[in-house]
């Protein structure tokens, strides 16, 4: 009886933290939507986007590093070779590769196509998490089937939102709105070095090269989330993980920008660009990546990545509020599909956590023999024996 009460109280406490993590992830995507709105206005004047990334990354590092040093001094483990390589890889993929490949891909394609590829991030993350063992899926159970189907519904909603516009439900349609609101890639210096030239020598044209870079951008973000989740289990200092990732990512970005910028005037900022850098560095980078790391530790990489398709919906909503842009039927329908997919996956994850704590609802007991028959973990054998002894 006391064990059941302890399990129930543990589930309640853990559930509160989990729902806070879900709320934090929704807030992260809302902040990212605000970032897209601000960059549509501020960065359309022709700032070098590599320089913009350098400023935002250095600002985020300047915020995260001292906070992590003070708050996590007692729980931060000493650096070793394994941790050093892990921090380098997440900085290389989640900060440097993620941002740089997106910029190159955006320059060779267009913002619409770049947005259409972003829903691949949850798919890549889900596959990597399953292969690495951080996400478990049992297709013989309802929870496993719900995870797969919810992921597909969420990704389908994001794709539908990008490919289908439909009539304007709120606001009036303006013919040249898209050309005015998108981040302009024109006039930007093309970051093509010897590596990009070698791809062109193999017969790739600019568009296909841009598609490869955008796919690499999605893969980098997926690898970042998949590697970070097991790292957080052995290195619980969340802010330090974010600070170290920005340390390596910002260093690589600075070196790249120094080689790819030609004029010193490209490093100067106007007032609107300075405001965009401050928002990107403080909110979209330092705060968002800090919350993202904490949520990844609690929810896991697959569920965290599923919130990524909410960015277009948040951007559309904030664009309506601050820019007066219309909201189309495709945005509303796609957003509803994304929310439905997130709900299904969240429900499946909640059921799995209850199963691990032994507080399953009565409906889940029906499918237990399938799991008990193949059970190999000590926890599951301990769960079976009291039940059989009571009979």
């Amino acid at each position: 009886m006391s064990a059941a009460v302890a399990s129930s109280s543990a589930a309640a406490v853990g559930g509160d933290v989990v729902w806070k993590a879900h709320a934090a992830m929704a807030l992260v995507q809302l902040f990212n939507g605000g970032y897209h709105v601000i960059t549509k206005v501020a960065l359309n004047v022709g700032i070098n986007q590599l320089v913009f990334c350098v400023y935002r990354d250095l600002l985020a590092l300047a915020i995260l590093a001292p906070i992590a040093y003070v708050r996590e001094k007692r729980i931060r483990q000493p650096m070793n070779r394994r941790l050093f390589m892990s921090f380098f890889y997440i900085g290389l993929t989640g900060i440097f590769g993620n941002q740089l490949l997106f910029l190159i891909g955006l320059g060779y394609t267009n913002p619409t196509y770049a947005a259409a590829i972003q829903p691949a991030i949850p798919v890549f993350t889900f596959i990597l998490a399953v292969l690495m063992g951080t996400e478990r899926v049992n297709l013989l159970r309802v929870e496993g089937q719900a995870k797969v189907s919810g992921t597909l519904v969420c990704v389908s909603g994001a794709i539908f939102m990008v490919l289908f516009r439909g009539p304007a439900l709120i606001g009036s349609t303006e013919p040249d709105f898209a050309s005015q609101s998108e981040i302009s890639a024109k006039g930007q210096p093309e970051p093509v070095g010897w590596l990009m030239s070698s791809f062109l020598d193999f017969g790739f044209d600019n568009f296909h090269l841009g598609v490869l870079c955008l796919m690499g951008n999605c893969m980098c973000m997926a690898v970042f989330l998949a590697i970070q989740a097991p790292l957080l289990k052995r290195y619980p200092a969340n802010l330090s993980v974010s600070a170290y990732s920005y340390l390596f990512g910002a260093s690589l970005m600075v070196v790249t920008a120094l080689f790819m910028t030609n004029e010193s005037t490209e490093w100067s900022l106007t007032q609107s660009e300075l405001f965009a850098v401050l928002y990107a560095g403080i909110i979209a980078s330092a705060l968002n990546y800090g919350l993202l790391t904490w949520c990844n530790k609690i929810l896991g990489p697959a569920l965290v990545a599923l919130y990524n398709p909410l960015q277009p919906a948040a951007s559309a909503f904030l664009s309506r509020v601050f820019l007066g842009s219309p909201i189309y039927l495709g945005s509303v329908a796609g957003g509803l599909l994304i929310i439905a997919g997130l709900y299904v996956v969240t429900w499946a994850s909640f059921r799995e956590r209850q199963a691990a704590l032994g507080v399953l609802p009565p409906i889940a007991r029906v499918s237990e023999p399938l799991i008990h028959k193949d059970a190999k973990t000590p926890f599951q054998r301990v769960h079976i024996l009291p039940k059989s002894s009571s009979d």
Side-chain angles (χ1 to χ4, degrees):
M1 182 69 178
S2 59
V5 174
S7 299
S8 300
S9 60
V13 174
D16 292 339
V17 176
V18 168
W19 289 116
K20 288 180 180 179
H22 282 290
M25 281 307 306
L27 194 63
V28 165
Q29 303 310 325
L30 184 63
F31 288 152
N32 282 333
Y35 167 74
H36 292 309
V37 173
I38 290 176
T39 52
K40 285 177 182 179
V41 178
L43 299 185
N44 212 30
V45 297
I47 184 177
N48 187 311
Q49 295 184 15
L50 275 176
V51 174
F52 177 79
C53 287
V54 169
Y55 283 140
R56 66 172 284 191
D57 291 344
L58 290 178
L59 179 58
L61 177 62
I63 295 173
L64 289 171
I67 296 177
Y69 178 79
V70 174
R71 291 183 59 87
E72 299 178 340
K73 184 183 297 185
R74 296 182 178 180
I75 63 175
R76 186 169 50 249
Q77 301 176 8
M79 181 66 69
N80 54 48
R81 180 183 178 86
R82 185 179 181 184
L83 289 175
F84 181 88
M85 295 305 299
S86 298
F87 292 140
F88 174 77
Y89 284 135
I90 62 176
L92 176 66
T93 56
I95 309 299
F96 175 73
N98 178 36
Q99 296 179 7
L100 182 62
L101 289 176
F102 180 79
L103 291 179
I104 298 175
L106 180 64
Y108 284 132
T109 56
N110 54 69
T112 301
Y113 198 88
I117 296 183
Q118 294 304 301
I121 293 178
V123 178
F124 289 155
T125 307
F126 186 80
I127 295 173
L128 288 175
V130 171
L131 293 177
M132 296 177 63
T134 55
E135 188 74 27
R136 297 181 180 180
V137 178
N138 187 351
L139 295 179
L140 298 179
R141 287 184 62 95
V142 176
E143 291 83 356
Q145 298 169 3
K147 279 188 174 182
V148 175
S149 60
T151 301
L152 294 177
V153 170
C154 191
V155 173
S156 300
I159 296 175
F160 183 82
M161 184 182 300
V162 173
L163 299 181
F164 177 75
R165 171 182 285 189
L169 299 180
I170 302 177
S172 59
T173 305
E174 299 177 7
D176 56 343
F177 169 76
S179 61
Q180 294 177 355
S181 63
E182 290 179 342
I183 303 173
S184 175
K186 299 179 181 179
Q188 300 292 338
E190 295 183 351
V192 180
W194 65 270
L195 180 60
M196 297 303 150
S197 300
S198 62
F199 274 106
L200 296 176
D201 293 338
F202 282 109
F204 288 92
D205 57 16
N206 288 345
F207 181 81
H208 291 97
L209 183 59
V211 172
L212 288 177
C213 290
L214 290 174
M215 295 298 291
N217 153 251
C218 296
M219 182 58 71
C220 281
M221 192 62 188
V223 172
F224 167 77
L225 293 173
I227 293 179
Q228 190 188 64
L231 173 63
L232 290 170
K233 293 182 179 180
R234 64 177 188 270
Y235 195 90
N238 305 330
L239 290 175
S240 297
V241 171
S242 299
Y244 277 123
S245 63
Y246 264 98
L247 173 63
F248 289 105
S251 301
L252 294 171
M253 191 67 73
V254 168
V255 174
T256 304
L258 290 176
F259 278 102
M260 291 186 177
T261 54
N262 301 320
E263 301 177 2
S264 59
T265 55
E266 295 179 347
W267 293 86
S268 60
L269 299 176
T270 64
Q271 186 175 358
S272 61
E273 293 167 355
L274 178 61
F275 175 75
V277 167
L278 291 176
Y279 183 92
I282 298 173
I283 305 298
S285 296
L287 179 60
N288 271 12
Y289 269 81
L291 291 174
L292 185 72
T293 303
W294 178 70
C295 295
N296 197 13
K297 181 180 180 180
I298 297 173
L299 302 178
L303 192 52
V304 166
L306 272 181
Y307 276 88
N308 192 72
L310 280 178
Q311 287 188 30
S315 180
F317 171 74
L318 293 175
S319 296
R320 173 58 190 170
V321 174
F322 294 102
L323 302 180
S325 58
I327 295 180
Y328 297 96
L329 176 63
S331 299
V332 176
L336 292 176
L337 286 175
I338 293 171
I339 294 174
L342 280 172
Y343 175 80
V344 172
V345 177
T346 303
W347 172 83
S349 301
F350 175 73
R351 288 283 294 270
E352 288 181 343
R353 284 192 302 271
Q354 284 192 322
L357 294 172
V359 288
L360 277 170
I363 188 174
R365 303 283 183 182
V366 179
S367 61
E368 280 185 351
L370 283 175
I371 305 303
H372 292 171
K373 182 178 179 180
D374 300 329
K376 296 182 179 179
T377 60
F379 179 84
Q380 288 175 328
R381 286 197 294 266
V382 172
H383 182 69
I384 296 171
L385 289 176
K387 184 178 179 179
S388 59
S389 60
S390 62
D391 295 335

